[in-house]
Amino acid sequence: MDSALPATQAKAEDASSSTRRETLSITDNRTGKVYEVPITHGTIRAVDLRQLRVDPADFGMISYDPAYNNTASCISRITYIDGDAGILRYRGYPIEELAEKSTYLETAYLLLHGELPTSAQLQDWHYHITHHTFIHESIKKFLDGFHYDAHPMGMLVSTIAALSTFYHDAKDVFNPASRKKQTYRLMGKMPTIAAFSYRHTLGMPFVYPDNELSYPGNFLNMLFRTSETRYRPNPTLEHALDILFILHADHEQNCSTNTIRGVGSSHVDPYCAAAAAIAALYGPLHGGANEEVLRMLNEIGTIQRVPEFIKRVKSGEMRLMGFGHRVYKNYDPRARIIKKIAYEVFDLMGKNPLLEIALECERIALEDDYFVKRKLYPNVDFYTGLIYQSMGFPMTMFPVLFAIPRMSGWLAQWEEMLLDPEQKIARPRQIYLGHDPRPYVAIDQRS
Ligand code: CMC
C-alpha cells in the first residue's frame, strides 16, 4: 500500500467525481494540518498515522488498542466469522456443512491446504498422520516425571515444547518439506501425548496407538482401553468426538492463535510456538472455560439456585462461564451444533444431571436484560463440558480436548504468518507513563 501524504501534497482528485474515494481525511487540530490516508478493505494502516507530527522531533501518532479490540493484525484467508450474524466458515465452507458431511482429518486438510482433498490426497494425509502417532520412548520417561496430580494441560504444554529437543530439523521453518513433516508429527502426536497425560494421572499403563482406528477412535482407545485385546470405540461417541474436533479446529485470531503467530514470528520451531499456544488456551477465559462451566454448574447444584447465581453474576461477583464472546454477539453457531450432539450422547450414556441446570441458566440469561443488552449468548464451551463428562472424561481433560483439534488451525495460521511477506517479528508499541530519568539511589539512602 502506498504511504499516505498530507492532503496538501496529495494528488488532487476531482471532488465532483461520482467515484467514491477510498480514503480517510484526518485533521490534526494540534497543527491544523489535514492528512489523507488510504482505506483498503475498510481498514486504514496504523503506520499511516505516523505522519501526524507536532514537530519534526515528534515520533508521530500511534494508535492505542489494549487487547486488540479494533486492530487487525494480519490478512488471513483461513477462517471467516461474522459475529453479529453468528456465521463461521473454514475456507469458505459453512461450519454446519462441515460438521454434517466432513471428518476432522478432512477438515484439518482443508484448513492447512486451502481446498478439500481428493480421495488420494485424503488417503495420503491420513496415512502420514497415522504413521506419526507414536512418540519416542524418552518422552514416556519425561511424562513419568510429572507428579501424580499434574493437570494434563500442564503436561501437554511441556511435552509439546519438549518435542523441539527431539526434532532438530524443525528449526528450518522456511523449508516446506520440514513444515510438512512437523505438521504430520504435531497432528499425529497430540492425541497420543494427551492420552498418555491422562493415563499418567490415573497411574495406568500407557496404551500405544492403534493405527487401524480412526483419529478420534484411536484417541478413545489410548484413553480408555483396559484389558481388551482390541479396543472397539462406540461409533456414536467416536462420531460425536469427530464433530467436536471439527467445531474446535480453528477460530481466526483468538488468544491462542494470536499467540502462535506472535511467538512463531520470531522464527522459533513450531513445537515451541505450539506449546505457547496451548498455554494461552489453558486460561479460564479461553479453552479452560469448558472446565470452569462444569465447576460452576456443580457449584450451583440445583435448578432452584440458578436465579440466585445469576443475581451474583449480574452484581459483578463472577462471570457466567460459557457465555459471551469477543466476536460473537449472537448465538455461537458451534454451540447450536453442540447442543444437538449433546442429546445424541445423552441418549446413549444417560442424561447428564447438570443439563437441567445449564438449560435453566441459558433460559434465564437469554431473557434477562443484563445479558440481552450486552449480547451475551452461550459460546462453544457452554455445553461441551456436559458432553465430555457424559463420555467419561474428567474435567481436567476438557481443555485438552479443545487443544487437540485446534492444532490444525494453529498450524495453518502459523504457516500463513510465515509466508506472508508483510509479517515481521511481532512487536507492539507502548505508551510510557513511568518515571522521567532519575539518579540511582544507594541502598542506605532509600527510605
Ligand atoms: N458473564 C457475565 N458478564 C459478562 C460475561 C459473562 N460470561 N462476559 C462478558 N460479560 C460482561 C462484562 O462484565 C462486560 O460488562 P460491562 O460492560 O458492564 O463492564 C461486558 O459483558 C463486556 O465484556 P468484556 O469482558 O468486555 O468482553 P470481552 O469481549 O473482553 O470478553 C470473554 C469475552 C469470552 C472473555 C467474556 O465474555 C468471558 O469472560 N466469558 C466467560 C468465559 C468464557 O466462556 N470463555 C470462552 C470463550 S469461547 C471459547 C474460546 O474461543 O476461547
Side-chain angles (χ1 to χ4, degrees):
M1 192 191 287
D2 298 327
S3 64
L5 295 167
T8 44
Q9 296 171 36
K11 212 170 133 190
E13 281 194 47
D14 180 2
S16 65
S17 160
S18 58
T19 353
R20 197 169 71 158
R21 278 164 57 184
E22 293 294 322
T23 62
L24 176 72
S25 296
I26 303 168
T27 307
D28 187 342
N29 292 321
R30 299 171 304 174
T31 59
K33 277 193 191 159
V34 179
Y35 300 82
E36 188 167 346
V37 297
I39 299 174
T40 311
H41 309 298
T43 308
I44 62 158
R45 297 227 163 203
V47 81
D48 284 343
L49 300 175
R50 285 272 280 283
Q51 61 188 312
L52 277 74
R53 287 196 179 97
V54 181
D55 55 55
D58 185 358
F59 178 77
M61 177 81 69
I62 59 174
S63 60
Y64 176 57
D65 187 14
Y68 307 117
N69 266 296
N70 197 40
T71 294
S73 63
C74 63
I75 290 173
S76 183
R77 294 181 170 80
I78 302 172
T79 292
Y80 172 78
I81 300 176
D82 180 335
D84 289 327
I87 290 172
L88 169 62
R89 297 184 201 126
Y90 298 158
R91 301 280 190 187
Y93 294 101
I95 192 67
E96 293 79 5
E97 277 195 56
L98 292 169
E100 192 190 329
K101 297 171 188 165
S102 186
T103 60
Y104 169 65
L105 278 193
E106 183 184 67
T107 298
Y109 182 99
L110 169 72
L111 285 169
L112 279 146
H113 298 85
E115 296 297 337
L116 286 166
T118 62
S119 37
Q121 286 167 334
L122 184 60
Q123 215 177 345
D124 181 69
W125 175 238
H126 212 288
Y127 175 89
H128 280 104
I129 289 175
T130 306
H131 286 81
H132 284 90
T133 50
F134 277 72
I135 55 174
H136 196 288
E137 286 293 297
S138 296
I139 295 176
K140 271 176 39 191
K141 288 188 212 141
F142 188 87
L143 281 165
D144 274 331
F146 284 105
H147 205 44
Y148 72 95
D149 62 353
H151 195 291
M153 239 356 219
M155 288 193 257
L156 188 65
V157 173
S158 327
T159 314
I160 292 295
L163 291 181
S164 149
T165 65
F166 287 79
Y167 304 115
H168 302 288
D169 57 328
K171 291 194 190 315
D172 200 2
V173 294
F174 288 103
N175 177 346
S178 167
R179 284 201 305 273
K180 196 182 231 183
K181 190 76 170 277
Q182 316 320 322
T183 298
Y184 292 146
R185 285 178 174 149
L186 275 165
M187 293 282 301
K189 293 179 202 316
M190 272 294 275
T192 313
I193 295 169
F196 281 22
S197 304
Y198 169 64
R199 302 282 291 203
H200 176 73
T201 61
L202 295 181
M204 287 182 73
F206 299 136
V207 176
Y208 282 78
D210 180 343
N211 288 348
E212 300 298 308
L213 296 175
S214 70
Y215 192 82
N218 172 48
F219 181 49
L220 291 170
N221 158 63
M222 293 188 290
L223 288 164
F224 299 129
R225 192 173 131 210
T226 48
S227 56
E228 314 89 307
T229 33
R230 199 81 199 261
Y231 179 86
R232 298 270 168 237
N234 179 292
T236 304
L237 300 187
E238 187 181 4
H239 182 60
L241 196 56
D242 204 40
I243 297 176
L244 287 163
F245 280 0
I246 293 173
L247 300 180
H248 286 89
D250 195 46
H251 213 230
E252 52 118 305
Q253 306 313 312
N254 53 80
C255 177
S256 55
T257 301
N258 184 49
T259 301
I260 199 166
R261 279 180 173 265
V263 174
S265 74
S266 73
H267 300 171
V268 71
D269 69 74
Y271 301 104
C272 289
I278 301 169
L281 188 74
Y282 191 5
L285 296 188
H286 193 7
N290 49 21
E291 190 179 337
E292 295 304 319
V293 171
L294 252 273
R295 293 191 196 285
M296 176 187 81
L297 295 176
N298 277 322
E299 188 194 324
I300 298 173
T302 63
I303 287 201
Q304 290 71 29
R305 293 186 55 200
V306 172
E308 172 202 328
F309 187 84
I310 297 282
K311 222 157 112 188
R312 288 170 66 199
V313 168
K314 285 163 60 178
S315 74
E317 202 182 313
M318 70 253 299
R319 291 201 159 191
L320 183 59
M321 299 311 284
F323 260 70
H325 201 275
R326 171 65 58 80
V327 182
Y328 292 121
K329 300 301 169 199
N330 197 328
Y331 214 98
D332 182 336
R334 301 169 298 173
R336 221 184 281 282
I337 301 167
I338 284 167
K339 208 169 161 185
K340 233 168 72 195
I341 308 171
Y343 284 102
E344 286 166 27
V345 172
F346 297 156
D347 280 348
L348 182 78
M349 309 298 285
K351 200 161 83 184
N352 189 320
L354 295 175
L355 177 69
E356 299 298 340
I357 301 173
L359 287 169
E360 184 65 0
C361 285
E362 182 182 330
R363 189 189 65 77
I364 296 183
L366 292 182
E367 286 173 0
D368 191 294
D369 205 39
Y370 174 94
F371 296 89
V372 174
K373 230 172 61 198
R374 290 170 179 77
K375 299 188 177 171
L376 301 171
Y377 292 89
N379 60 48
V380 70
D381 290 317
F382 194 63
Y383 286 103
T384 46
L386 293 174
I387 306 180
Y388 295 149
Q389 192 178 50
S390 294
M391 288 170 98
F393 291 106
M395 268 190 271
T396 52
M397 279 299 282
F398 297 176
V400 173
L401 291 159
F402 194 148
I404 294 170
R406 183 55 60 88
M407 185 54 75
S408 55
W410 286 331
L411 289 170
Q413 302 267 356
W414 167 72
E415 186 166 54
E416 189 178 61
M417 177 276 303
L418 283 178
L419 301 183
D420 181 345
E422 284 202 304
Q423 289 293 341
K424 294 181 180 196
I425 187 163
R427 187 17 173 129
R429 299 215 168 253
Q430 64 166 7
I431 300 169
Y432 178 73
L433 296 179
H435 286 284
D436 286 334
R438 49 185 182 155
Y440 179 78
V441 180
I443 194 158
D444 56 351
Q445 287 164 27
R446 291 175 210 157
S447 52

